[in-house]
Structures are given as C-alpha cells and as structure tokens.
C-alpha cells in the first residue's frame, strides 16, 4: 500500500521561495498523475498543480508563473517549487494521486498535509 509523505514546508517571508517534496513510500513507480492541493481552514481544498506520468503540467491561475511542479518517476517523488510567495499562499499543502476514481480516492492517495506560512 502506498503512503505519501510531504516535506519542506515552513515559514517564509513574502517574495521568498520554498520547495515541497512528496515521496510515495511503498511503491517503486506510480503510473498515475499526481498533484498538489492546498487548503485554508474553513475553506474548500483547491487544486494547485498537476503533473502526468509523461511530465505534462497544469497550474491554477493563482500560482501560474510562480510555482513549478516536477516529478521523478524512478523515485516516485514529486516536487513543488514555490517562488515569489505571497501571504495568500499560506495554507496546508497536500500531495495527492489521481486514479480512475478521482483524486485521492484510494487508500494512501492523500498525503497528511504540510503547513506553508508566508508572513513578514
């Protein structure tokens, strides 16, 4: 069974950068699209960025041109490079896997979440 483990969150000043990593433990290769979501308490979880097994990417309008998603299929890892961070990027960030049933529909297909705080 796969387990997603996020790392790299923390506190950063506006305009700064952070890099989030998500490792899929227990599976040598994941033949699925993967992505990052974020959620502010009391609001809906929103999709931030996605990447297919072939490397095709998509971004929400809120992060386009500032965030970059990438993946290493051999290591079953995805990365979210976040640059030019804004206070409104503050949220809990989740890694997820997309299957035929949808995002995070199977056991272990959501990470536990990691806090990103952008503040001066």
């Amino acid at each position: 069974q796969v387990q997603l483990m996020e790392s790299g969150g923390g506190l950063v000043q506006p305009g700064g950068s952070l890099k989030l990593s998500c490792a899929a433990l227990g599976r040598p290769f994941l033949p699925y699209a993967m992505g990052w979501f974020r959620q502010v308490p009391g609001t809906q979880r929103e999709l931030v960025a996605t990447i297919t097994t072939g490397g095709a990417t998509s971004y929400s309008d809120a992060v386009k041109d500032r965030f970059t998603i990438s993946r290493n299929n051999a290591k079953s890892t995805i990365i979210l490079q976040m640059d030019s961070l804004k206070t409104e990027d503050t949220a809990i960030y989740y890694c997820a896997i997309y299957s035929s049933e949808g995002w995070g529909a199977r056991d272990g297909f959501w990470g536990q979440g990691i806090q990103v705080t952008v503040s001066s």
Side-chain angles (χ1 to χ4, degrees):
Q1 180 174 337
V2 67
Q3 179 183 0
L4 298 178
M5 186 69 66
E6 298 111 334
S7 61
L11 173 65
V12 64
Q13 292 187 340
S17 297
L18 276 178
K19 184 170 74 173
L20 302 182
S21 298
C22 173
L25 308 179
R27 290 286 295 270
F29 174 69
L30 287 171
Y32 305 106
M34 296 182 70
W36 289 94
F37 289 70
R38 66 186 183 186
Q39 186 173 25
V40 175
T43 68
Q44 280 194 329
R45 193 170 295 186
E46 64 170 341
L47 181 60
V48 173
T50 69
I51 187 165
T52 67
T53 53
T57 59
S58 67
Y59 301 91
S60 68
D61 288 342
V63 307
K64 195 173 183 180
D65 298 326
R66 298 188 298 119
F67 290 10
T68 303
I69 188 170
S70 60
R71 73 188 287 165
N72 183 327
N73 286 332
K75 297 182 179 180
S76 292
T77 300
I78 63 169
I79 302 291
L80 186 68
Q81 177 66 45
M82 305 185 293
D83 299 318
S84 302
L85 282 160
K86 305 176 180 180
T87 55
E88 52 263 44
D89 294 317
T90 296
I92 300 172
Y93 284 70
Y94 297 88
C95 173
I97 299 170
Y98 183 85
S99 66
S100 57
E101 294 89 358
W103 286 103
R106 301 181 185 177
D107 287 346
F109 278 26
W110 279 111
Q112 79 284 358
I114 192 163
Q115 179 70 46
V116 171
T117 302
V118 185
S119 175
S120 55

